[in-house]
Amino acid sequence: MADRKLTRRGLIGAGAVAAPALAALHEVVPHKGLHHALGGEQSASAAEPSHAGHSGGAGLAMHDGFGGGSVDSEANGFDPSEIVRDFDYGKVSTLPGGQTLREWTVVAADKEIELAPGITYPAWTYNGRIPGPTFRATEGDRMRIRFINGSQHPHTIHFHGFHPDFMDGMPGIGEERGGGTIDTGETFVYEFDAEPFGLHLYHCHVMPLAAHIAKGLYGAMIIDPKEPRPEADELIMVMNGFDTNFDNANEVYAVNTIPFHYVNEPIKVKRGELVRIYLANLLEFDQINSFHVHANFFDYYPTGTRLQPTDFTDTVIQGQGQRGILELRFPYAGDFMFHAHKTEFAELGWLGFFQVEE
Ligand SMILES: [Cu+2]
């Protein structure tokens, strides 16, 4: 029974989250939802009053509810406020035939990360961060990724896109050529041409796959079309979550790893400026994820592989591994929430704010 009480689903079922309306979300959630979900002690009182006087950022201060302070980004070695605009173009040179070569080094490492103040999680990371680096190339470039497995477990990098089988990061495939499973201390160089253009993924493909992905071994890869997309303020958002009590269900949800981060530190954008969001769903265990933005609509380009949008909407659903590109402009200055329209996820960390400035 104690076990069950500590699961997220048990909590929700028991009404410990008190099913707050979205309007009341900021008042209730950080105290009830996240704390309880993370395995904090059970308080029977769903009606426990929330702290009054939240302020800051978008008029809220989620971190108050975590017991004070934000997570230590420096100790984590990554900051979602930086990750959101961090695109890694690699070391660039030109091959004899004239093709652009982009090179990266990726190290897998076991690392404790702080998800909420005082709540750590034994993660597996690419280059010490979750999500891993957002690789970026132009259609037709050669991508060369030197992978060093510094973790205590075997891993791979499985890239989406076109490539030969031994470059697929698939255990058992291409082992004789050094590919397949990359054991602790081993190195392998993945190399392929960047195609097709769009927003793609990469992740470890060692079994049990759910565990290797849920632990943090994933990231996004943007391949720009040869004719670049229009100039925009570009953002990468990787939707994810963490199973902090190892019951094969997530206790917390986020965009770019840290629950409520963009509530504490809203994403600043300019009114009227084109904003392009590269949105990917790497969430393990749950079947769907979603993105909803308040007071606005966006053009949606599924997988980013076509230049014409297929939808003009304010909400998009993605299954695990799905991704797409959103383009929007904010007509009004002010604070606008974005969150999983699967509200359970929002209450457990997957929400944030755009702070639109003149
Ligand atoms: Cu792995």
Side-chain angles (χ1 to χ4, degrees), residues 134-135 143 158-162 194-202 219-224 236 238 278-280 282 302-305 321 323-325:
T134 301
F135 300 121
M143 300 179 74
H158 163 73
F159 291 92
H160 289 215
F162 300 116
E195 56 179 342
F197 73 76
L199 172 59
H200 307 309
L201 311 172
Y202 64 92
M221 172 171 72
I222 297 169
I223 298 179
D224 291 308
I236 176 75
V238 174
Y278 295 89
L279 178 75
L282 267 301
T303 322
T305 46
R323 64 277 184 189
I325 299 174

Side-chain angles (χ1 to χ4, degrees), residues 124 154-156 204 206 212 217:
W124 296 343
H155 297 301
T156 72
C204 179
V206 169
H212 281 250
L217 291 173

Side-chain angles (χ1 to χ4, degrees), residues 89-93 101-105 142-145:
Y89 292 85
K91 189 176 121 233
V92 184
S93 59
L101 172 68
R102 297 182 187 275
E103 295 176 275
W104 296 267
T105 297
R142 173 56 61 101
M143 300 179 74
R144 183 180 291 164
I145 300 101

Side-chain angles (χ1 to χ4, degrees), residues 27-343:
E27 295 301 320
V28 181
V29 165
H31 312 284
K32 308 305 299 177
L34 193 64
H35 175 69
H36 282 250
L38 286 168
E41 98 260 24
Q42 297 289 292
S43 155
S45 162
E48 179 184 286
S50 57
H51 296 312
H54 280 175
S55 63
L60 309 164
M62 286 294 186
H63 54 251
D64 286 356
F66 295 158
S70 314
V71 304
D72 188 344
S73 295
E74 219 152 291
N76 277 349
F78 64 91
D79 182 344
S81 291
E82 290 167 12
I83 279 180
V84 75
R85 287 191 172 91
D86 181 14
F87 302 100
D88 191 340
Y89 292 85
K91 189 176 121 233
V92 184
S93 59
T94 306
L95 289 167
Q99 188 180 21
T100 297
L101 172 68
R102 297 182 187 275
E103 295 176 275
W104 296 267
T105 297
V106 175
V107 180
D110 306 342
K111 185 178 181 181
E112 192 116 305
I113 61 165
E114 191 180 38
L115 291 171
I119 305 293
T120 55
Y121 177 78
W124 296 343
T125 65
Y126 289 131
N127 284 0
R129 44 173 279 178
I130 304 175
T134 301
F135 300 121
R136 191 150 186 180
T138 299
E139 182 186 18
D141 291 350
R142 173 56 61 101
M143 300 179 74
R144 183 180 291 164
I145 300 101
R146 186 161 171 265
F147 176 53
I148 302 164
N149 187 0
S151 164
Q152 295 307 304
H153 307 266
H155 297 301
T156 72
I157 310 180
H158 163 73
F159 291 92
H160 289 215
F162 300 116
H163 46 248
D165 66 352
F166 70 103
M167 290 294 171
D168 198 38
M170 185 65 209
I173 307 293
E175 300 280 355
E176 70 289 353
R177 301 180 69 173
T181 302
I182 312 302
D183 286 319
T184 301
E186 287 185 347
T187 293
F188 183 69
V189 178
Y190 296 97
E191 186 165 331
F192 46 84
D193 290 336
E195 56 179 342
F197 73 76
L199 172 59
H200 307 309
L201 311 172
Y202 64 92
H203 56 86
C204 179
H205 216 299
V206 169
M207 308 294 174
L209 193 52
H212 281 250
I213 291 179
K215 288 281 258 179
L217 291 173
Y218 50 77
M221 172 171 72
I222 297 169
I223 298 179
D224 291 308
K226 280 189 177 130
E227 179 80 23
R229 295 175 200 277
E231 182 84 16
D233 181 5
E234 298 195 317
L235 309 170
I236 176 75
M237 294 191 183
V238 174
M239 300 189 286
N240 55 0
F242 292 89
D243 170 16
T244 59
N245 61 1
F246 313 104
D247 63 350
N248 292 327
N250 295 302
E251 276 65 52
V252 293
Y253 296 86
V255 149
N256 298 337
T257 302
I258 305 299
F260 301 114
H261 178 87
Y262 302 114
V263 173
N264 293 324
E265 294 181 40
I267 298 172
K268 290 182 183 177
V269 296
K270 289 263 188 301
R271 185 172 76 87
E273 193 172 85
L274 181 63
V275 175
R276 180 176 298 121
I277 303 170
Y278 295 89
L279 178 75
N281 179 25
L282 267 301
L283 184 66
E284 193 52 74
F285 305 124
D286 288 282
Q287 296 193 10
I288 60 151
N289 209 330
S290 55
F291 174 102
H292 168 58
V293 62
H294 284 205
N296 213 333
F297 275 65
F298 52 84
D299 280 316
Y300 188 65
Y301 305 77
T303 322
T305 46
R306 297 274 187 273
L307 296 173
Q308 300 75 34
T310 59
D311 205 357
F312 183 58
T313 180
D314 61 7
T315 305
V316 66
I317 304 287
Q318 291 182 348
Q320 190 189 29
Q322 277 192 301
R323 64 277 184 189
I325 299 174
L326 289 62
E327 288 183 346
L328 69 167
R329 295 173 197 269
F330 289 88
Y332 299 102
D335 298 319
F336 298 97
M337 188 184 262
F338 64 100
H339 61 91
H341 216 299
K342 173 89 173 133
T343 47

